[in-house]
Amino acid sequence: AITKLGALLFAKNLNDFESVERKSVRVIVYKGKNKVETVREQIGVKGYALGFEGLVDWINSQLPANEEIGKALRTETRMYPEIAIRELVANALIHQDLSEKGFPMVEIFTDRIEISNAGTPLVTPERFIDAYISRNEKLADLMRRMGFCEEKGSGLDKVIFYNEFYQLPPINVIVSDNRTRVTI
């Protein structure tokens, strides 16, 4: 008897659990600024706790980077702050409405990244920085105890800080009928 929460976090394959099989994270990389041509697509199969680190690493590996040549070594600098990507993906997983149809999704375009999840937020986007309400308290609590989030409402502060540090335009939050999308 595995609970829905247990399957969502620890499943080796989410497809083995009917209650959460459609909650797998989907990452799509597009060629260009629209959805006309897909370069690659990855659909996660692991539970969020098992697959989170690999998911964030894979997303970051798909993002553009600059190569800087120092005195002796070459280093690669990402065009998007890795901590912002991590926080936005964690938020999409934790704050999704599990009762709604749909799944968390990351779409990578040449000029932006869109991270979305099923459901509308419990607070308005204007209050994201200073209000903290989690739709999935047990999920958030377990992910905090495992080190994937802090559960203190500082995630978006970090996103905005590092977004400005990287001199990127402000993030954009769009709430539609049953989906929340954040663009960086």
Side-chain angles (χ1 to χ4, degrees), residues 115-131:
I115 300 170
S116 63
N117 62 305
T120 57
L122 297 177
V123 296
T124 63
E126 294 80 24
R127 307 301 316 177
F128 276 3
I129 292 177
D130 61 356

Side-chain angles (χ1 to χ4, degrees), residues 15-136:
N15 294 322
D16 293 340
F17 300 92
E18 189 176 326
S19 62
V20 294
E21 67 183 342
R22 292 284 296 154
K23 296 301 176 185
S24 295
V25 182
R26 188 172 172 194
V27 182
I28 306 169
V29 180
Y30 297 104
K31 180 180 181 181
K33 297 178 181 181
N34 56 42
K35 297 182 180 188
V36 174
E37 191 174 338
T38 300
V39 175
R40 68 187 55 86
E41 180 176 353
Q42 185 80 18
I43 300 174
V45 294
K46 294 179 181 177
Y48 299 163
L50 293 181
F52 186 75
E53 187 176 355
L55 169 66
V56 173
D57 286 346
W58 195 84
I59 291 168
N60 281 316
S61 75
Q62 302 305 304
L63 300 177
N66 282 333
E67 186 177 72
E68 296 175 7
I69 301 173
K71 290 182 181 180
L73 300 174
R74 295 173 187 228
T75 59
E76 195 173 81
T77 304
R78 297 272 170 218
M79 301 298 289
Y80 293 94
E82 292 183 22
I83 192 166
I85 302 302
R86 179 191 174 284
E87 292 294 335
L88 290 173
V89 170
N91 282 349
L93 300 179
I94 291 170
H95 296 295
Q96 70 181 301
D97 188 343
L98 296 168
S99 65
E100 288 280 342
K101 290 184 179 180
F103 43 84
M105 189 158 59
V106 178
E107 296 175 287
I108 301 169
F109 301 87
T110 56
D111 65 340
R112 68 191 184 284
I113 306 160
E114 295 180 359
I115 300 170
S116 63
N117 62 305
T120 57
L122 297 177
V123 296
T124 63
E126 294 80 24
R127 307 301 316 177
F128 276 3
I129 292 177
D130 61 356
Y132 177 78
I133 301 172
S134 180
R135 173 177 277 118
N136 304 302

Side-chain angles (χ1 to χ4, degrees), residues 1-11 13-14 16-21 47 98 138-139 142:
I2 298 173
T3 65
K4 186 176 181 178
L5 179 61
L8 194 60
L9 285 170
F10 303 113
N13 187 341
L14 287 169
D16 293 340
F17 300 92
E18 189 176 326
S19 62
V20 294
E21 67 183 342
L98 296 168
K138 289 181 181 178
L139 175 64
L142 285 171

